[in-house]
Every structure is written in C-alpha cells, then in structure tokens.
Amino acid sequence: MKNPNAPKPPTRMTAAEANRLARRDRNRIIIMSVGALILGSGYLISRFAQSKYEEQDVLEQPKIDAPVAEERVVTVEFDMPEQLEPIRDPPQQRAVINSQASLTKVYDYGRLFSEAQYRAMGVRLLDAATQAEVEADTDAHRVKPFRVRGELLAIAKREREGSYAPEMHGTLRTEDGRFAHFIVSDAPAEASVGSWVRVDGVFYKLFRKEVAEDWREGPLLLGREAIEAFAPIALASDLVVPGLAELTDDTFESTTGIPPAVEWGLMAKAQKSGESPDWESAPELTAEILGEMFQDGSAFRGKPFRIPVSRNVGSWVERAGENGLALDQVTRGWIGNFTWKGAVGVIRYSAPFANLTLQDWEDSARYVTARGFFLKNVNYEQQSGKPGRVPHFVMESVEIFTPEKDTSQAQLMWVVLGATVFLIALFWFLLVRDKKSAARLQEELVRRRRARRTQLAGGGEVDPSA
C-alpha cells in the first residue's frame, strides 16, 4: 500500500509537449524573422525610392554652364622711371603736356593691356574718393591702372607728334559731375558727344583743357580703347521698370529671351527696394503660385515673392559686362524645392550682387532663402536633354540657410542595426535552448526505456509514470 504522504514524483515532459514547445519556438523564430525582413526591406525600399526621386530630380535640373575661370594673364611693370620725371601736376602746369616723349612712352605702356590684364593689375574705379587720393599724391599713383565711366563731352581723332598711329582724344563727365580726359588707340564708331563710354587706362597726370567753351580739369588716362557704356539707370519714385509690362513669356514654340534693359531695370529696383515693399507681407512662393505663374506670368510680372528654405541647385558669380548699374559682377543660379510639385520644380534667378559664398552649393550653401521679383518664364535645357520652361526671378537677396543637423537617418540606421543584433542574439538563444531541451528530452526517453527494461527483467510491476 502506498503511503499517501509520500512525495509525488516530478512531472515529466511528454513527447507531445516537447513537440508543442518546439513548434511554438519555431513559430516565434519565423515571426521574428519575417519582422526583421519587413523592417530591412522597408528601409531598403525607402532608400531606393529616395535614390530614384533624386535621380529624376537631377534629370529635370538645368544644364549649368557656369563661367570658366579666367586663364592666367601676363602683365609687366613700367620700367622707365626716368620718363616720369618731366611730368608736373601743379595748377599752373596742368594745361600743358610737359614732355611729348614721356607721354608717348606711358601711352605705349597703357595700351599694351586688355581688360583682363587691367583686372589682374588691380584696376580701381576712379570714383570721387579715389580721385581725391590721386590728387593728394599724384606721384604715388603715376602709371597706376584706373577705370572711369562717363558721358562724352568731346571726342576726336588726332595725329600727335611722336605717335606712329592716330589716337582718340576725349573728355567725359562722370555721373557725379567730375571730369576725366583720355587718350586711347580705339573707340566705338558710334561714340559721339552725349554717348557713354568706359576707359581703362593708366594715370598720367592731372590735366586741364578747354571743352565746350569751358575749362575741364581731371585725371588724364592713357589706354588701349574706350568701349560703349550705359547711362545710369534712373527709376521713378514708384520704381516702375520701363518695358516690364510689355514682356511676354517664352513658349516651347518661341523663345524671346530677356531684354537686357528690362532685366537691369528690375535689378535697379531690387537694389533700391530695401524694406519697400514690405517683404514680410509678400507672398511665399508655393507650388500653387508657381503653377499659375507657369501658365501665364503676366499677372505676376514684377511682383515680389519670398522664397522659403529651398535647395541651391547651382549658383555662380560672373562678369556683368557694361550695364547701367556700373556693376562688375552679378550672381546667377537656380533654386529648387521638393514641395514644388507639378510642372515647375526649379526657378532661375539673377541678382545685382556678387555673393561668392553661394558658389559652394554642394556643401555649406546647400540650402538658401531668398526675396525677389518675378520677371518672366524662360526656356531652358534639362540635363536629360529635354526642353523645359521655368520662371526667372531677379533677387533682392539670397541668404544661406544652415539647418540643424538631421540625425533621423543615422538614428534609423542604429535602430535597424540594433534590431538585427537583437534578433540574431535571440535566434541564437532560442536555438541553444531548443537544442538543450531536445537533449534533455532524449535523455529522459532513454532513461525511461532503461527503467522499463530493468523492471520487466526483475518481474516487478512497471511504474506507469516511467
């Protein structure tokens, strides 16, 4: 008779229970593997989609023909100081050339150089402040390069003794009412009294001569040529740009381009706008506005807009050429925004300033904000080779925007990496546990078989739990 108080034998795992546990663990592993696969696939798919979007975005971007850096130019110093000794600048000697031989030598030196060479020599604009420096110390500025623009008061071809070719002698009046004289070897055929010219040359002396029945005094420059210039742009108080309202947009069938006078007029408005218009109340450029603008730009011509944080697709500084604002350089470029869906994804711009920092558009100047005026829709060629059409703006300002560092992608990568490591460790743990469980079950089954054989061999009663 069994003792009712005897301890119960330990519960043993049956083969069916072991199989059930194994199936449960196998199902867990399958579910976690599928989850890891979905997580990894989702990350890869999102990266692939982003790559495809960026690739398509690049194809729609313009072919950017930024100006090529200027080649190195060669200049020489004036090496005949003895030719400068006869030159005199006192008031009583300003109406005469002290030495024709000296004038010829300095003239031959000044006309050696092209515009690019004068830039390399550090040519300075002969404005009021610079002219005051020259007048205060003429010897220190002798044969130094200067640039002057103005309205012609007189111009004539002369054959001077000691010179082997005819020369153009002239006098001009600057925008602020000062005077300058020049001798050059060439001038535009249409140059006449009242037209505007620009002269790059070296300073010879302070000179006074009778022009238009009056004595005009100023620096005398000697150089290669006088080139056509433009009278300063003068906008009315309401800053209305002449010719702007008559502009028409480019179409894929017709490219009319941008008249320089209108673009420079709008640049003059951008220069003078300052706090007017009220830029804070100006509309922000959105996809909806761009869509309407793309269809018909006439209603938006010359209107101010704020450009939100956007991608600097490409910006560069280039030589402006002669213009009514007397600017030597301008900034041009392209701006895009991922929220500008539809027909317009980028805009083109020009600006009346030289912002060299914007040229680092692949790094520090990747993002910008801007304020500007719409000019017209213009045709362009996409990088894919297909034709495109975009709005062109004249910017009052373009500022670099530096966003806070985006750590979301790095965090996502670490989450995926951490989840992968965790799942690998979990898989390993479950496999090791299953292996141990299987080993224990095998040992238990072997022990039971041995116990049965032992009991049967001894003729005893077989324990049903064994």
Side-chain angles (χ1 to χ4, degrees), residues 95 183 217 236 352:
I183 301 175
E217 183 175 300

Side-chain angles (χ1 to χ4, degrees), residues 7-193:
K8 294 182 179 180
T11 303
R12 293 180 174 84
M13 183 183 295
T14 63
E17 291 174 334
N19 290 334
R20 190 164 52 253
L21 288 175
R23 285 195 302 271
R24 184 189 65 184
D25 292 339
R26 181 192 62 195
N27 292 339
R28 286 179 178 175
I29 293 174
I30 292 173
I31 292 172
M32 286 186 288
S33 299
V34 171
L37 182 63
I38 293 174
L39 184 62
S41 299
Y43 178 76
L44 294 176
I45 290 172
S46 65
R47 293 294 297 173
F48 176 76
Q50 180 181 359
S51 176
K52 291 293 290 181
Y53 173 80
E54 291 175 349
E55 180 181 347
Q56 181 64 28
D57 184 54
V58 167
L59 290 176
E60 293 177 356
Q61 289 177 8
K63 286 186 176 180
I64 297 176
D65 297 322
V68 179
E70 294 181 358
E71 295 182 2
R72 182 181 177 185
V73 296
V74 178
T75 61
V76 294
E77 296 288 338
F78 186 76
D79 58 358
M80 294 178 285
E82 69 279 2
Q83 296 294 338
L84 306 181
E85 292 177 1
I87 304 173
R88 297 290 182 267
D89 296 284
Q92 63 273 20
Q93 297 197 44
R94 292 179 183 176
V96 297
I97 298 298
N98 306 106
S99 167
Q100 290 293 330
S102 169
L103 179 68
T104 299
K105 292 298 183 182
V106 177
Y107 170 65
D108 288 344
Y109 174 74
R111 69 191 186 92
L112 284 175
F113 307 115
S114 65
E115 178 183 350
Q117 288 171 309
Y118 271 110
R119 284 200 301 270
M121 295 165 65
V123 63
R124 297 174 62 190
L125 180 64
L126 195 59
D127 55 18
T130 304
Q131 184 168 328
E133 290 181 25
V134 173
E135 293 174 351
D137 190 352
T138 54
D139 289 337
H141 295 86
R142 201 85 68 194
V143 298
K144 298 299 182 184
F146 293 97
R147 170 175 293 173
V148 64
R149 292 181 180 88
E151 178 188 2
L152 279 173
L153 299 181
I155 186 167
K157 181 181 290 187
R158 295 184 180 178
E159 294 188 6
R160 182 176 53 84
E161 181 183 354
S163 179
Y164 53 83
E167 304 165 345
M168 301 300 296
H169 291 232
T171 300
L172 56 81
R173 178 171 51 207
T174 64
E175 181 183 4
D176 57 4
R178 294 173 294 107
F179 301 97
H181 309 284
F182 63 85
I183 301 175
V184 295
S185 57
D186 193 19
E190 61 275 14
S192 60
V193 174

Side-chain angles (χ1 to χ4, degrees), residues 159-410:
E159 294 188 6
R160 182 176 53 84
E161 181 183 354
S163 179
Y164 53 83
E167 304 165 345
M168 301 300 296
H169 291 232
T171 300
L172 56 81
R173 178 171 51 207
T174 64
E175 181 183 4
D176 57 4
R178 294 173 294 107
F179 301 97
H181 309 284
F182 63 85
I183 301 175
V184 295
S185 57
D186 193 19
E190 61 275 14
S192 60
V193 174
S195 61
W196 280 68
V197 296
R198 190 197 82 193
V199 175
D200 290 349
V202 294
F203 170 65
Y204 182 69
K205 67 171 291 181
L206 295 177
F207 189 58
R208 182 171 65 250
K209 65 183 294 188
E210 188 176 8
V211 178
E213 301 180 351
D214 202 352
W215 288 92
R216 314 294 188 181
E217 183 175 300
L220 172 59
L221 301 184
L222 312 179
R224 175 182 291 188
E225 61 181 344
I227 67 172
E228 181 185 8
F230 299 91
I233 296 174
L235 297 180
S237 58
D238 56 5
L239 299 182
V240 172
V241 178
L244 181 63
E246 289 74 36
L247 276 188
T248 57
D249 293 328
D250 287 354
T251 66
F252 291 120
E253 295 76 26
S254 174
T255 300
T256 57
I258 299 176
V262 178
E263 182 177 17
W264 283 108
L266 197 54
M267 284 196 181
K269 179 176 181 176
Q271 275 190 334
K272 298 177 183 300
S273 62
E275 297 302 320
S276 178
D278 181 6
W279 287 103
E280 292 301 320
S281 62
E284 184 176 276
L285 197 61
T286 63
E288 292 73 22
I289 293 176
L290 281 171
E292 296 177 17
M293 188 181 290
F294 183 80
Q295 294 300 321
D296 183 3
S298 58
F300 302 92
R301 201 90 63 208
K303 298 296 179 61
F305 292 92
R306 290 180 295 112
I307 287 76
V309 177
S310 302
R311 181 77 163 84
N312 182 3
V313 180
S315 297
W316 63 92
V317 173
E318 67 181 30
R319 298 290 169 191
E322 279 305 300
N323 58 84
L325 296 181
L327 292 178
D328 291 329
Q329 295 178 313
V330 295
T331 302
R332 299 187 184 275
W334 299 76
I335 294 175
N337 194 304
F338 73 93
T339 65
W340 294 344
K341 305 296 183 182
V344 181
V346 293
I347 62 173
R348 196 175 78 176
Y349 77 88
S350 54
F353 50 77
N355 189 341
L356 296 175
T357 60
L358 294 174
Q359 295 183 141
D360 191 18
W361 50 273
E362 292 184 321
D363 191 11
S364 62
R366 181 180 295 269
Y367 300 102
V368 295
T369 59
R371 306 189 308 198
F373 301 92
F374 172 67
L375 181 57
K376 64 172 288 185
N377 291 306
V378 295
N379 292 336
Y380 78 106
E381 183 182 358
Q382 299 177 354
Q383 289 193 17
S384 62
K386 297 179 180 179
R389 190 172 67 142
V390 292
H392 182 99
F393 286 76
V394 170
M395 296 301 184
E396 182 266 346
S397 66
V398 181
E399 303 293 338
I400 295 174
F401 176 82
T402 304
E404 295 183 2
K405 188 174 181 180
D406 183 11
T407 60
S408 59
Q409 288 194 353

